[in-house]
Amino acid sequence: MIAAILKEPTGENRVSLLPEQAETLLKKNIDVWVEQGAGITAFASDEAYKTKGIKVAGRQQLLQTADLLFSISALTVSDLAALKPAVIIIGIFQPLYNVSLMKDWAGKGITSFSLDTIPRTTRAQSMDVLSSQANIAGYRSVLVASTLFPRYFPMFMTAAGSIPPAKVLILGAGVAGLQAVATAKRLGAVIEVFDTRPAVKEEVMSLGAKFVEVEGAADASNAGGYAVEQTEEYKKKQEARIAESVAKSDIIITTAQIPGKKAPILLSKVMIDAMKNGSVIIDLAAATGGNTAYTKNNETIVTDNGVTILGNSNLPSGMPFDASKMYGKNLVNFLQLIIDKEGGLNLNFEDDIVKGCCITYNGEIINERVKTIQAS
C-alpha cells in the first residue's frame, strides 16, 4: 500500500506527518511518499524526508498512485478529478459544516475519515486532533493578543510610576480556553472566565482565574468541549453578566462553537462599543461565524472606538512544527486502528472510533451526525 503526504494550500503551514513520524509507517510495511515541498513551512525539508526513506514526488503522481492520502485541508476539485478509484483520504474536513462537499466525495466513491469528528472519549484521547490543536490555539491567542495590546500584561511598579495588570476575559473553558488561562496567568494578567458548564469551575480556579457564574445553563458537559443551544431566558442573563465583565476587560478571547451550526454571538456591538480604546479581542470561532458581531474570518477589524478584533480559527498554523508534530502523532495513533500488522487496510466499522470519524464510504455518507444535518 502507498500512503502519500500532500502539501497544504497557501496559508496552511502544517504538514500531516513530519519525517520521523512518516518513518514509523515504513516499519509497518507501508510505502510512504511525500509531495515536493510539503514540509517546508513546517521546517521539514524534502531532504529530511529522503533521509528517512520517504520518496518525494509531484502532486499529480501522488494523486494518481496513492491508496491512502493525508491532507489536513480538503482537496480541490482538480485534485478529486485526478484521484485513483477507491482512495482513502484522512484529514480535518469539518464535515458538519461542509455537508455538500461530503456528498460530492461520496458520489466519487471516496472513503474519507475526518479526524475532527473522532469521538471525544478516554480511549480516543491520543487521536484527538481537536484537543491537540486547540491547546496550541489557546496558547498562541494570548501571545498574539499581547503583541496587539498597547500595554503590559503584568503589574509593574517602577520609579516612573505603577502599571496595573491587564484584565483578561476568556469565554469558554475548553482545551483552548484553559490553555489561554494558563498562558495569560504566566504573563501576569488578572483573568476572568465564563463557561456554561459549572463542572469546569474547579479547573479554572486551579489555574488562578475567577469563574463567572450564570445560573440556569443547559448542560454542556457531554458536548465534547463545544457550546450547546441555551434558552432565551438564560441568554438574557448571560448577556447581562458578560456585559459587566466585558466593560472592564482589556483583552477578550472567545472560543465558543456549536457543532454544525453558526457560532453563538456572545459579544454584541453594544458591548464592544463600551470597551476601552486599545482593547483586543481574539475570536477563535471566526471560521464558523465568530462570537462577536464584528468578526470577519481571517481579518483584523478595528472599531470606531479603537477595539482590535482578530478573527482567526487557525492559530495552530502559526506554530507549524509543534502543531504538525502533535497532529502527526494523533494521525499515527488513529492509523493503528485501520491498518493491520502486514500494512494492509482493515476498516473495522465495529470500532466506535473508526465508525465515528468515517464520513463517506461505499458511495454514501455514513456518518450519522453528518446525515442528520444533511436531512435537516
Side-chain angles (χ1 to χ4, degrees), residues 86-256:
V87 69
I88 296 175
I89 308 175
I90 303 177
I92 303 177
F93 307 128
Q94 294 190 306
L96 299 179
Y97 304 100
N98 297 310
V99 177
S100 60
L101 178 62
M102 296 301 104
K103 187 176 179 180
D104 290 343
W105 286 17
K108 294 181 183 298
I110 295 169
T111 296
S112 62
F113 291 91
S114 193
L115 300 184
D116 51 321
T117 61
I118 280 181
R120 306 191 86 175
T121 60
T122 300
R123 177 169 166 259
Q125 282 183 344
S126 65
M127 313 163 208
D128 188 351
V129 299
L130 289 181
S131 291
S132 70
Q133 303 305 296
N135 197 300
I136 294 172
Y139 170 77
R140 281 190 57 80
S141 67
V142 175
L143 299 186
V144 171
S146 71
T147 65
L148 297 173
F149 187 52
R151 290 173 37 206
Y152 281 118
F153 258 60
M155 178 177 69
F156 275 105
M157 299 183 70
T158 73
S162 297
I163 305 293
K167 295 179 179 178
V168 176
L169 173 63
I170 297 171
L171 301 180
V175 174
L178 291 173
Q179 183 56 248
V181 172
T183 305
K185 188 66 178 178
R186 293 187 195 105
L187 291 179
V190 174
I191 310 156
E192 287 191 339
V193 180
F194 168 82
D195 197 289
T196 57
R197 299 164 296 170
V200 301
K201 179 178 179 179
E202 289 187 15
E203 290 183 87
V204 168
M205 294 180 67
S206 71
L207 291 172
K210 177 183 177 182
F211 187 69
V212 179
E213 294 189 78
V214 180
E215 296 181 356
D219 183 17
S221 58
N222 296 318
Y226 288 98
V228 297
E229 290 282 8
Q230 301 289 342
T231 64
E232 289 303 318
E233 179 183 0
Y234 177 81
K235 288 179 181 178
K236 289 180 181 179
K237 290 195 293 184
Q238 170 187 276
E239 184 176 352
R241 185 63 186 86
I242 289 177
E244 294 177 18
S245 295
V246 168
K248 59 185 180 183
S249 297
D250 299 306
I251 292 167
I252 302 177
I253 295 170
T254 71
T255 69

Side-chain angles (χ1 to χ4, degrees), residues 209-350:
K210 177 183 177 182
F211 187 69
V212 179
E213 294 189 78
V214 180
E215 296 181 356
D219 183 17
S221 58
N222 296 318
Y226 288 98
V228 297
E229 290 282 8
Q230 301 289 342
T231 64
E232 289 303 318
E233 179 183 0
Y234 177 81
K235 288 179 181 178
K236 289 180 181 179
K237 290 195 293 184
Q238 170 187 276
E239 184 176 352
R241 185 63 186 86
I242 289 177
E244 294 177 18
S245 295
V246 168
K248 59 185 180 183
S249 297
D250 299 306
I251 292 167
I252 302 177
I253 295 170
T254 71
T255 69
Q257 298 190 71
I258 301 174
K261 297 184 179 181
K262 187 179 183 297
I265 297 295
L266 300 179
L267 301 179
S268 66
K269 289 185 177 181
V270 173
M271 291 183 192
I272 295 171
D273 290 346
M275 293 180 71
K276 292 172 285 188
N277 191 345
S279 298
V280 175
I281 299 172
I282 308 294
D283 193 339
L284 300 184
T288 56
N291 295 144
T292 91
Y294 286 108
T295 300
K296 291 186 179 180
N297 192 29
N298 297 321
E299 291 189 29
T300 299
I301 305 296
V302 180
T303 65
D304 291 341
N305 61 318
V307 177
T308 299
I309 303 170
L310 173 63
N312 191 333
S313 294
N314 196 25
L315 285 175
S317 179
M319 201 166 80
F321 183 84
D322 279 340
S324 298
K325 183 177 180 180
M326 294 169 76
Y327 176 85
K329 183 63 175 177
N330 294 147
L331 175 57
V332 168
N333 288 335
F334 172 72
L335 288 174
Q336 293 177 8
L337 301 181
I338 64 170
I339 295 174
D340 60 29
K341 293 180 180 179
E342 289 71 41
L345 285 171
N346 176 29
L347 302 184
N348 176 20
F349 291 113
E350 296 300 316

